[in-house]
Amino acid sequence: MESQGEITRESQVSLREITKETVRTICDLKVSPEQNRFVAPVSVSIAQAYFEPKAWFRAIYADETPVGFVMVYRDTDEPVYYLWRFLVDQKYQGMEFGKQAMLLVIDKVRNWPNAEELLVSYVPDQDGPGEFYQKLGFEPTGEMEGIEEVASLVFV
């Protein structure tokens, strides 16, 4: 994994485009084995993104170290956007990078055309990401998408 020095909780989090130079490193990011059922591998997400023109995706960096991945379904003709994928590598969980990255994503989406709402769906499980999203302001809608619970963050 490419890295430039030690990262800490105080490291600067940013969202960066994935390039041909960084794609292998980004694809190596993984959640813990027990979290695999909650999110697809980065390589699958990037492959899907290349065949979906409305996918917006970025690597999450802490300083100069890739620590995660995010993908949003972005249809600027609609007021609702969807957080499609989000993960922080198992080595970097618990360092607040996920929270900082999600705040950056929320701020970005809030400023996209017509943005009124950001939706996310997740497996409702005590070890799942539901509590994480709720702490960021997402509220369960009561809807299900297959086996996943849908939550909404309203901007207006």
Side-chain angles (χ1 to χ4, degrees), residues 13 24 29 34 37 60-61 64-65 67 75 94 102 109 115 120 122 129 134 137-139 142 145-146 152:
V13 173
R24 283 182 185 260
L29 298 170
E34 54 273 5
R37 62 193 170 105
I60 301 166
Y61 278 74
E64 297 304 313
T65 301
V67 298
D75 183 350
M102 272 307 303
V109 173
V120 64
Y122 52 84
Q134 288 177 23
F138 287 85
E139 295 186 15
E145 202 170 276
S152 167

Side-chain angles (χ1 to χ4, degrees), residues 78-81 109 112-118 153-156:
E78 298 294 326
V80 179
Y81 294 87
V109 173
W112 282 346
N114 306 315
E116 294 178 10
E117 183 177 21
L118 177 60
L153 179 65
V154 178
F155 300 133
V156 291

Side-chain angles (χ1 to χ4, degrees), residues 33-154:
E34 54 273 5
Q35 293 173 319
N36 280 334
R37 62 193 170 105
F38 298 125
V39 65
V42 175
S43 56
V44 170
S45 297
I46 291 173
Q48 289 175 317
Y50 273 100
F51 293 99
E52 174 49 68
K54 293 180 179 172
W56 176 90
F57 60 101
R58 295 292 185 268
I60 301 166
Y61 278 74
D63 292 336
E64 297 304 313
T65 301
V67 298
F69 176 83
V70 62
M71 185 161 71
V72 176
Y73 183 82
R74 181 178 188 236
D75 183 350
T76 56
D77 293 331
E78 298 294 326
V80 179
Y81 294 87
Y82 298 88
L83 180 64
W84 190 354
R85 296 281 158 67
F86 183 75
L87 72 81
V88 173
D89 186 90
Q90 61 186 339
K91 292 184 295 246
Y92 306 110
Q93 291 182 13
M95 298 181 78
E96 300 287 318
F97 299 146
K99 178 182 177 185
Q100 292 177 55
M102 272 307 303
L103 292 173
L104 292 172
V105 169
I106 290 166
D107 189 52
K108 183 144 206 77
V109 173
R110 179 182 278 122
N111 290 297
W112 282 346
N114 306 315
E116 294 178 10
E117 183 177 21
L118 177 60
L119 295 177
V120 64
S121 64
Y122 52 84
V123 177
D125 184 284
Q126 71 178 35
D127 297 323
E131 185 178 334
F132 169 79
Y133 291 121
Q134 288 177 23
K135 285 181 180 177
L136 290 165
F138 287 85
E139 295 186 15
T141 64
E143 298 173 41
M144 297 293 286
E145 202 170 276
I147 63 165
E148 297 185 353
E149 185 172 341
V150 178
S152 167
L153 179 65
V154 178

Side-chain angles (χ1 to χ4, degrees), residues 6-36:
E6 187 74 22
I7 61 171
T8 67
R9 286 179 178 271
E10 288 72 41
S11 294
Q12 180 69 39
V13 173
S14 60
L15 305 175
R16 300 185 191 177
E17 286 190 37
I18 298 168
T19 66
K20 66 181 180 180
E21 292 80 23
T22 63
V23 68
R24 283 182 185 260
T25 301
I26 305 307
C27 284
D28 287 340
L29 298 170
K30 293 177 177 39
V31 294
S32 65
E34 54 273 5
Q35 293 173 319
N36 280 334

